[in-house]
Amino acid sequence: MSEGIAMTKAICVSDCKNKLGEVPVWDPQDQALYWVDIEGSTLHRLIPETGETTRWTFPERVTAFGLRQKSGFILALASAIALFEPETGVIERKAAPEGRHPGNRLNDGKCDRQGRFWVGAMDESQTKGCAGLYRYDPDGQCHQMETGIGVSNSLAWSPDDKTFYFADSMRKLIYAYDFDALAGAISNRRVFSDWSARQGTPDGSTVDAEGFLWNAVWDGWCLVRYAPDGRIDRVVELPVQKPTSCAFGGPDLTTLYVTSAIFDASPDELAKQPQAGGVFALNVGVRGLPEPRFAG
């Protein structure tokens, strides 16, 4: 369809008022939705069928995570990549790729279909553009994949594993790369979407089964669905100003879950969006893809 507004109603499934809710991930084994509140240093779990919620708190900000094939999670903490076992509470720090940049922290992250964990960093001042993108392999090796990034976001792969999507939110650009799935290599970076002339900033993303990229627009009150050629296919309005990321879930992967943030909103702004910081569910008429797990 041509660019337009889709009148899809968003239902708040968790009025959790996260300061910076992010990176929703659906676990088909538990039929549960996980996400983080970065500024609250917490990992959340919701079982939609029962409404049961669980929360884990960490000693520093947790910015992204992946489910593990064994048990537990791989985490992007602000300062390090770590493994976390919820049954014991043990956190095992593994790598600190941005340790040489004290003004940076890790940000968005996701597992690829080969079981590797990709995580991008950000310059917290959002002025220097000195952060990197990393690939953490199941054998414990950490590889720098990109440099000169302001704010890493929007990690996603096309269904055929030939394209990798990645955003620098500081520059309001979403990039597409050629992806070599076997080698875990990216090349041929090009601009997929330039949002600089529009309201808001590209934040987190997911890809649906048709190969379209869904992106949450921070300060934009909406989600955008992009065709594989970068054309805007659909815009879905949301009842919150700062949607942060999205992921498909539910028994048949037809529910699109969206996290959001309160962050620096004023009292007047919050009065216009009483469920800001919550997690929302939408039926957008397409299916998602299963979320890969970390193989280490």
Side-chain angles (χ1 to χ4, degrees):
M1 69 184 275
S2 61
E3 180 179 349
I5 302 295
M7 303 306 291
T8 306
K9 183 173 178 56
I11 305 298
C12 185
V13 294
S14 178
D15 192 10
C16 48
K17 308 214 180 296
N18 291 159
K19 186 171 183 181
L20 187 51
E22 268 284 8
V23 292
V25 173
W26 178 258
D27 183 357
Q29 295 181 10
D30 294 343
Q31 289 292 294
L33 180 73
Y34 293 85
W35 71 94
V36 301
D37 178 5
I38 295 177
E39 294 300 320
S41 302
T42 51
L43 172 66
H44 297 250
R45 178 180 66 188
L46 168 69
I47 300 177
E49 186 177 1
T50 64
E52 177 188 349
T53 59
T54 309
R55 187 174 70 173
W56 296 271
T57 301
F58 298 93
E60 64 174 301
R61 288 172 292 177
V62 55
T63 70
F65 66 97
L67 305 169
R68 293 181 69 194
Q69 289 181 6
K70 296 178 179 178
S71 64
F73 305 87
I74 183 167
L75 304 178
L77 301 172
S79 67
I81 297 168
L83 300 179
F84 171 60
E85 180 51 65
E87 295 298 323
T88 62
V90 172
I91 301 169
E92 184 181 359
R93 294 168 67 92
K94 289 294 187 179
E98 287 285 298
R100 66 192 181 281
H101 295 298
N104 290 5
R105 70 162 172 82
L106 297 181
N107 196 45
D108 201 2
K110 195 171 288 188
C111 293
D112 68 19
R113 296 184 186 96
Q114 293 69 41
R116 301 168 294 224
F117 184 62
W118 294 64
V119 61
M122 64 176 284
D123 161 29
E124 293 212 76
S125 71
Q126 299 191 35
T127 59
K128 299 175 185 176
C130 59
L133 170 68
Y134 303 91
R135 191 193 79 220
Y136 184 77
D137 294 346
D139 65 2
Q141 296 295 310
C142 189
H143 306 271
Q144 185 162 10
M145 307 303 294
E146 188 61 284
T147 60
I149 302 300
V151 179
S152 297
N153 266 312
S154 198
L155 286 74
W157 289 264
S158 62
D160 63 7
D161 260 349
K162 293 183 178 179
T163 304
F164 170 65
Y165 299 100
F166 177 68
D168 187 342
S169 295
M170 189 180 81
R171 296 178 173 88
K172 295 193 175 188
L173 297 174
I174 302 176
Y175 299 111
Y177 296 75
D178 293 342
F179 183 61
D180 183 331
L182 182 62
I186 55 176
S187 61
N188 187 29
R189 187 177 85 174
R190 62 269 188 195
V191 174
F192 178 76
S193 170
D194 184 344
W195 201 258
S196 58
R198 296 173 179 259
Q199 178 182 346
T201 301
D203 205 324
S205 290
T206 193
V207 170
D208 65 32
E210 298 176 1
F212 286 60
L213 183 79
W214 291 83
N215 179 254
V217 184
W218 174 275
D219 273 335
W221 298 86
C222 69
L223 296 172
V224 176
R225 186 190 194 223
Y226 292 96
D229 61 4
R231 172 180 51 86
I232 293 178
D233 170 77
R234 203 186 311 178
V235 178
V236 178
E237 290 184 327
L238 296 170
V240 287
Q241 180 179 350
K242 300 179 189 296
T244 55
S245 192
C246 51
F248 285 92
D252 52 5
L253 297 178
T254 57
T255 300
L256 185 58
Y257 289 101
V258 183
T259 48
S260 67
I262 294 173
F263 206 62
D264 56 357
S266 69
D268 286 345
E269 288 173 330
L270 291 177
K272 299 173 184 176
Q273 44 177 332
Q275 293 175 316
V279 178
F280 297 83
L282 306 88
N283 184 340
V284 292
V286 294
R287 293 178 184 271
L289 298 165
E291 193 68 32
R293 304 176 92 93
F294 180 62

